[in-house]
Amino acid sequence: HGYINSFEKAIETTARLMPKAFLTRVFQGTEDQQNRRIFFIRHGGIRGCPLSKIGVTDLIEWCQRRSEANVWALVASGISLWEKSDGNRDGFSIKSSAVEFLEAAPEPEPVLNAYADRVTQSSWSGSRSDVMQSRADAIAELTKHEGEEIAQAARSVSDRLSMELERERVCDQQRDEEREQRFE
């Protein structure tokens, strides 16, 4: 499940109607089955994040009932995260539901790392580093969060993202140079 486009709508509907049963099923079965399901949650489908139809309250309740600490990061990697920022045409901000999920997490750093892993979109036009920068800025805003643990984790994750952004800018520059050479 998760690899055939026609099943996406059915999976979304199942997640929306039976969120706790859906989440429990993701973590059942053999290790291989779990890995395939987790891959689908992390990478989503064509239409978006598979957990976006589940309310953040249900996600938080389900995660709190689980004894495994890694569940928070896995769920964080599949929720709807970005929204267009009002003030900036190309800017992004983190959805309030994602911030609420982060605030409920017992350890914010793994959740923020899951968010940071999604600053790069899989398809883009133009400069990939510009998209990454806008999303990294949204995560950097969390350094001003009133919760000290979240602010500290956001500083750590922002530092990591800064290094990744610098590498991406170098790659963008190399791609541009290669295109110019081919054009000549």
Side-chain angles (χ1 to χ4, degrees):
H1 112 285
Y3 296 107
I4 301 173
N5 296 335
S6 62
F7 286 109
E8 280 187 44
K9 198 69 167 165
I11 292 168
E12 284 179 3
T13 303
T14 303
R16 182 175 45 82
L17 295 174
M18 303 181 304
K20 292 174 179 114
F22 176 81
L23 289 166
T24 300
R25 178 72 176 137
V26 168
F27 294 96
Q28 289 178 340
T30 66
E31 187 176 337
D32 185 49
Q33 289 171 327
Q34 289 178 30
N35 288 336
R36 281 184 283 162
R37 293 177 189 140
I38 289 168
F39 177 85
F40 179 69
I41 284 178
R42 281 189 173 147
H43 301 287
I46 293 172
R47 292 183 188 94
C49 301
L51 301 182
S52 64
K53 300 295 183 190
I54 300 175
V56 70
T57 306
D58 288 331
L59 291 172
I60 291 169
E61 284 177 18
W62 185 84
C63 288
Q64 287 172 337
R65 289 187 187 143
R66 301 292 291 208
S67 59
E68 306 101 289
N70 67 337
V71 165
W72 287 90
L74 290 171
V75 170
S77 67
I79 64 175
S80 185
L81 186 57
W82 308 112
E83 63 186 0
K84 287 284 190 179
S85 204
D86 292 335
N88 186 349
R89 184 177 67 84
D90 295 327
F92 290 94
S93 61
I94 296 177
K95 288 187 172 187
S96 60
S97 59
V99 173
E100 184 180 344
F101 184 83
L102 173 66
E103 290 170 342
E107 296 177 33
E109 192 153 356
V111 172
L112 276 173
N113 279 318
Y115 291 174
D117 290 343
R118 296 172 54 201
V119 296
T120 306
Q121 62 187 45
S122 57
S123 63
W124 76 96
S125 61
S127 172
R128 186 173 176 155
S129 60
D130 288 345
V131 173
M132 288 177 67
Q133 181 68 59
S134 178
R135 292 176 177 187
D137 290 346
I139 289 176
E141 283 293 313
L142 292 172
T143 61
K144 302 171 190 167
H145 193 275
E146 61 193 29
E148 183 54 38
E149 195 174 359
I150 290 174
Q152 181 62 35
R155 282 189 280 279
S156 172
V157 170
S158 289
D159 290 344
R160 184 191 91 175
L161 284 174
S162 294
M163 290 186 292
E164 288 179 21
L165 267 163
E166 189 55 41
R167 283 193 297 270
E168 189 59 41
R169 283 191 180 97
V170 168
C171 289
D172 277 351
Q173 184 178 8
Q174 289 172 347
R175 281 189 291 266
D176 289 344
E177 288 172 1
E178 287 173 8
R179 273 190 228 122
E180 286 178 24
Q181 287 177 353
R182 279 185 286 194
F183 181 73
E184 291 175 0

